[in-house]
């Protein structure tokens, strides 16, 4: 895959789409990446299948609350320091960087880290979207360890974690991030090339770029960006189901920065007419959409809120009263829907008392309340 | 200093006394130490003045809530692992182990770690008592860094912290400990021999032994252990003021394990007569004693609750309704009462809105309420 300076806006739009409201706005990362390009550095993007089996691939990411990242800009010196610390623990230099999540800020930031370190980035990630916790990745689902993990702050604080449990690593890192001001840089999941081929969701950086290009091309040719997106996903390989869940305006946003996460719910009402309101819950990312108590889509399938005219995806922290939007759902690839994957990031993993039903199998008016009981977040 | 198997009970009694209710019961550490002695291992105790200036001395300690340590026995394999991790970061082996606090479990545990590692223990510590937080030590007050710091759990989880701020190191370690079940082993404050001579409170392991010997000798000869203790402290070099603050029985204990600490207050009432109740607050350790709203003693001076017949010191987690006790206060050495020391562990550091007054300068009926307002813990 080729990513040029002129692709960056489309790429960031696609990353925001895959961010499903969370993962932080890729805007800052895009500006940083533009600067890297302008200064003559760039990260080559390589296909996961081209990785030697014994390559060392390290995951680089920002960690924290997206609500905080707006004001506290990710520190790339810290990101590099975190990667170097993992290399030091392993006594070996990384051959490539991989994104933990293609969606949101972590779609762009690893490209900046890689450009600064002169390393390529793998065209893949651990979810093909964004998720709030470090163990919610296919890397973990299919047996890779997040440790040795290093976490660095913009003030030079460095923390390293070694544990067999990816869930404990998440807890230790999360409570550290809270003490470091709810935003830090992290390096983790050191994997072999063979691990990446086996566990990663492939070609998700390409996917980001194509999503962004689909939206901007539709806009340029006065086509409907939503129809264009639905067609684009239908023609993907394998095809992915996409549908519009709701068309309306934002009537309420409940948003808290709690336990290092941005948690809350957004309520949408029809622009005209008397449709029932739509309620979308989030923990950094959108988790469920429901209308009249019936579930329209659920995690890990993608839920994205987009401007109803331009098709521009909107992050949770940018949601405002009165915005006119459409809500789109997109099915995730099979690697994200296996029983072990759903145990890690299906609805129950987020405290919803319901079993996963794929968006393409859900009735258009949603799943009856009996099957979709209210969330009981366990924090 | 010579510490033999037959000294261990006295030594542990003295460590409990200096623990001022907290620091965890040294009982478990004493049993572990007995076993080390029985297996032919022992830690030589060396005078700090005999340390070469360029020696590497590492602090070993248990960290967590004493209430939890009763059931979750400190893991000495983890303690050794933590020390090794600090050695690895420094690229150098330790020449000696030092206790962070002579009071409580951390009076005995470092001796076990040292015996296992074949290292001597320095006859000194960072406070000559026990304190709840890692930066509340003379090492930190007089300029030593707690990092590189390593923390290990009984399950093999390892965390390393590097930061310039000893307060941030405490926060990061504390939130990690909470996630590791409120008890872990830690190695920190790697210091030179010169640092130890400059910043440590000297000969506090000897002090523990002498306190325990004073109590048991008085008991054996049917003398009053309290009179014996007051005489012992008066004859110390420099002399230390000790007094009985209260004679009564436990009428109430409020105890919570909160934020990784055991917090609360114990109320004492007279056994007979109509004296006012005495209230003693604690955060792991006893912080203040007051009667009728007047402050009788305050941190960092020692407050210890002892069995009124045997003179046996009682830890906060062992306090029970109906226990008949005497409360004793002992002044701390000058190194613990400088302005910089009081800024770190004086009454205000624990949220009490009052300036430190040494126990020997306090009226016997305490300081008027105006000067000693209610505590406002900042957690």
């Amino acid at each position: 895959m080729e990513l040029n300076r002129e692709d960056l806006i489309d790429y960031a739009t696609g990353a925001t789409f895959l961010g499903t409201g969370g993962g932080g706005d890729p805007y800052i990362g895009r500006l940083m990446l533009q600067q890297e390009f302008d200064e003559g550095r760039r990260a080559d993007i390589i296909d996961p299948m081209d990785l030697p089996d014994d390559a060392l691939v390290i995951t680089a990411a920002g960690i924290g609350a997206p609500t905080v990242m707006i004001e506290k800009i990710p520190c790339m010196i810290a990101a590099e320091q975190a990667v170097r610390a993992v290399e030091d623990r392993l006594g070996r230099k990384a051959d490539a960087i991989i994104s933990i999540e293609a969606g949101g800020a972590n779609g762009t930031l690893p490209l900046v880290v890689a450009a600064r370190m002169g390393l390529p980035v793998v065209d893949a990630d651990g979810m093909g979207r964004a998720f709030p916790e470090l163990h919610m990745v296919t890397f973990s689902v299919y047996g890779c360890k997040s440790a040795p993990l290093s976490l660095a702050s913009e003030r030079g604080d460095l923390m390293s974690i070694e544990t067999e449990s990816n869930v404990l690593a998440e807890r230790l890192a999360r409570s550290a991030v809270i003490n470091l001001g709810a935003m830090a840089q992290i390096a983790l999941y050191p994997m072999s090339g063979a691990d990446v081929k086996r566990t990663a969701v492939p070609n998700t950086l390409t996917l980001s770029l194509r999503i962004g290009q689909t939206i901007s091309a539709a806009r340029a040719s006065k086509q409907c960006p939503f129809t264009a997106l639905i067609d684009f996903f239908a023609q993907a390989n394998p095809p992915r189901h996409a549908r519009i869940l709701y068309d309306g305006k934002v009537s309420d946003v409940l948003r808290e920065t709690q336990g290092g996460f941005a948690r809350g719910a957004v309520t949408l009402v029809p622009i005209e007419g008397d449709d029932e309101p739509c309620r979308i819950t989030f923990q950094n990312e959108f988790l469920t959409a429901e209308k009249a108590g019936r579930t329209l889509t659920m995690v890990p399938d993608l839920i994205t809120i987009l401007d109803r005219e331009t098709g521009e995806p909107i992050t949770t922290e940018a949601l405002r009263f009165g915005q006119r939007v459409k809500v789109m759902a997109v099915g995730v690839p099979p690697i994200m829907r296996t029983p072990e994957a759903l145990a890690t990031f299906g609805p129950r993993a987020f405290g919803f008392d319901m079993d996963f039903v794929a968006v393409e199998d859900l009735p258009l008016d949603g799943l009856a309340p009996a099957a979709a009981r209210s969330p009981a977040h366990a924090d």
Side-chain angles (χ1 to χ4, degrees), chain A:
Chain A
M1 176 198 176
E2 189 83 5
L3 186 69
N4 300 304
R5 197 184 185 289
E6 53 272 28
D7 295 324
L8 290 182
I9 291 179
D10 285 343
Y11 178 76
T13 302
T16 310
F17 185 98
L18 292 177
T20 66
D25 193 323
Y27 174 69
I28 296 284
R30 167 167 72 79
L31 293 186
M32 289 178 175
L33 201 49
Q34 258 171 237
Q35 192 180 343
E36 294 299 323
F37 277 65
D38 290 347
E39 292 175 5
R41 286 183 295 272
R42 46 173 300 160
D44 287 323
I45 297 176
I46 57 174
D47 193 273
M49 289 306 149
D50 293 339
L51 276 173
D53 277 355
D54 63 351
L56 172 60
V57 183
I58 296 180
T59 306
I63 174 172
T67 35
V68 168
M69 204 180 72
I70 299 172
E71 298 186 22
K72 193 174 162 190
I73 294 173
C75 173
M76 290 300 100
I77 296 167
E80 211 176 319
Q81 195 194 5
V83 174
R84 297 283 182 220
V86 172
E87 288 180 335
D88 286 350
R89 291 300 299 159
L90 298 171
R92 187 179 159 190
K93 293 286 174 194
D95 298 303
I97 296 293
I98 190 169
S99 174
I100 195 165
E101 51 186 3
N106 284 325
T108 49
L109 292 176
L111 295 165
V112 183
V113 183
R116 291 172 58 96
M117 298 183 75
L119 290 172
V121 177
V122 183
D123 184 7
D125 77 329
M127 56 188 86
R129 50 167 295 158
F131 269 135
E133 303 189 48
L134 297 175
H135 60 282
M136 294 178 165
V137 284
T138 51
F139 311 147
S140 177
V141 168
Y142 301 110
C144 299
K145 295 283 167 217
S146 62
L149 172 163
S150 284
L151 191 148
S153 82
E154 71 287 358
R155 300 183 191 203
D157 310 306
L158 184 69
M159 217 179 80
S160 293
I161 295 169
E162 282 171 65
T163 173
E164 287 297 301
S165 161
N166 294 343
V167 173
L168 180 60
E170 153 66 24
R171 287 194 192 142
L172 291 170
R174 189 70 49 186
S175 57
V177 169
I178 294 167
N179 283 299
L180 294 169
M183 174 52 56
Q185 301 300 314
I186 196 165
L188 68 171
Y189 288 108
M191 293 178 285
S192 69
D195 286 336
V196 171
K197 291 179 213 176
R198 183 173 60 80
T199 69
V201 183
N203 305 117
T204 44
L205 308 197
T206 301
L207 178 64
S208 279
L209 179 59
R210 298 282 172 266
I211 290 171
Q213 286 172 335
T214 300
I215 295 170
S216 65
R219 225 185 276 161
S221 62
K222 315 281 183 205
Q223 307 288 305
C224 167
F226 301 97
T227 310
L229 281 169
I230 291 169
D231 288 350
F232 166 76
F233 283 111
Q235 287 156 26
N237 178 20
R240 292 171 65 172
H241 178 87
R243 66 167 64 154
I244 299 297
L245 299 180
Y246 201 80
D247 181 357
K249 61 185 179 186
V250 176
S251 80
D252 193 34
V253 186
L254 175 72
R255 192 194 293 117
E256 290 182 300
T257 301
Q258 187 194 58
F261 296 115
R263 290 181 192 269
V266 52
T267 305
L268 308 173
V269 293
I271 293 169
E272 51 194 25
D274 56 358
D275 196 5
E276 294 275 351
C278 174
R279 186 169 171 275
I280 300 171
T281 61
F282 59 85
Q283 176 184 342
N284 286 11
E285 287 74 40
F286 299 122
L287 299 175
T288 59
E290 59 174 48
K291 192 170 81 171
R294 298 172 71 94
T295 302
L296 300 176
T297 311
M298 63 189 84
V299 68
D301 281 346
L302 311 183
I303 299 170
T304 300
I305 300 182
L306 305 105
D307 181 286
R308 80 188 289 274
E309 303 304 327
T310 64
E312 196 68 29
I314 305 171
T315 60
T316 58
E317 66 272 18
L319 284 170
R320 298 285 179 276
F321 174 83
Q323 281 168 334
R324 291 166 180 236
V325 301
K326 287 188 180 178
V327 183
M328 179 173 259
V330 185
V332 289
I335 193 174
M336 296 285 291
R337 287 172 168 180
T338 62
E340 52 273 48
L342 293 173
T344 302
F345 43 64
R348 291 190 189 282
F350 290 94
F352 295 93
D353 187 13
M354 56 188 172
D355 293 318
F356 175 74
V357 182
V359 60
E360 59 270 30
D361 299 331
L362 281 169
L364 287 174
D365 69 342
L367 203 65
R373 274 159 275 167
S374 3
H377 276 293
D379 350 10

